[in-house]
């Protein structure tokens, strides 16, 4: 079921697997979960397992749903809406996350570490 972020805010998302798609700062559900996410996005870099410098970067990852860890959550986001184009065009294999450029160059990828109910790089 595809819904807008505004519609999703009015829904009970507890028993759902989520796929969040949208540029950083434009998706209200991403904003709602922002403090639970193990990465940060700035105009000139993405901070994940390290700092990735650039202005047309995006990140894709899979994590547990913050409201129900028995359900999953995939996120496709970028610094800008323009950088979102082709975000799901990369074959990431078994990686939990990857940072890439708008030109589909993978800059970093890997598996998450899980400690004390926190997921991190």
């Amino acid at each position: 079921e595809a819904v807008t972020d505004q519609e999703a805010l009015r829904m009970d998302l507890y028993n759902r697997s989520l796929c969040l798609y949208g540029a950083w700062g434009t998706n209200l559900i991403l904003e709602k979960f922002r403090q639970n996410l193990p990465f940060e996005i700035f105009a000139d870099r993405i901070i994940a397992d390290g700092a990735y410098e650039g202005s047309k970067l995006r990140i894709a990852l899979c994590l547990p749903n913050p409201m129900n860890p028995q359900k999953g959550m995939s996120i496709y986001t970028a610094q800008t809406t323009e950088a979102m184009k082709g975000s799901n065009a990369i074959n990431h294999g078994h990686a939990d996350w990857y940072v890439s450029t708008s030109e589909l160059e993978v800059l970093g990828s890997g598996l998450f570490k899980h400690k004390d109910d926190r997921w991190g790089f």
Side-chain angles (χ1 to χ4, degrees):
E1 176 181 11
V3 299
T4 68
D5 55 344
Q6 291 179 343
E7 291 171 308
L9 282 176
R10 295 187 298 270
M11 297 171 69
D12 178 5
L13 302 176
Y14 181 81
N15 281 318
R16 295 178 180 254
S17 295
L18 308 174
C19 181
L20 307 180
Y21 193 91
W24 197 244
T26 67
N27 185 302
L28 298 174
I29 300 296
L30 278 173
E31 191 62 33
K32 178 179 177 175
F33 297 139
R34 187 176 192 160
Q35 63 272 20
N36 300 86
L37 302 175
F39 65 92
E40 295 180 79
I41 296 182
F42 301 95
D44 62 345
R45 69 193 179 286
I46 290 179
I47 307 293
D49 66 321
Y52 295 91
E53 306 288 331
S55 60
K56 295 182 180 177
L57 304 178
R58 64 264 190 103
I59 186 169
L61 48 120
C62 293
L63 292 165
N65 176 337
M67 294 177 288
N68 179 354
Q70 300 303 311
K71 297 291 184 177
M73 175 174 70
S74 63
I75 298 172
Y76 293 89
T77 190
Q79 292 165 312
T80 65
T81 300
E82 181 183 331
M84 286 296 302
K85 187 176 180 181
S87 288
N88 56 350
I90 294 175
N91 180 357
H92 54 80
H94 296 290
D96 291 335
W97 63 271
Y98 66 86
V99 175
S100 66
T101 67
S102 296
E103 292 80 30
L104 304 180
E105 176 188 1
V106 175
L107 303 176
S109 67
L111 300 174
F112 283 116
K113 295 177 183 168
H114 181 234
K115 182 179 179 184
D116 300 324
D117 289 329
R118 297 282 302 167
W119 292 79
F121 298 95

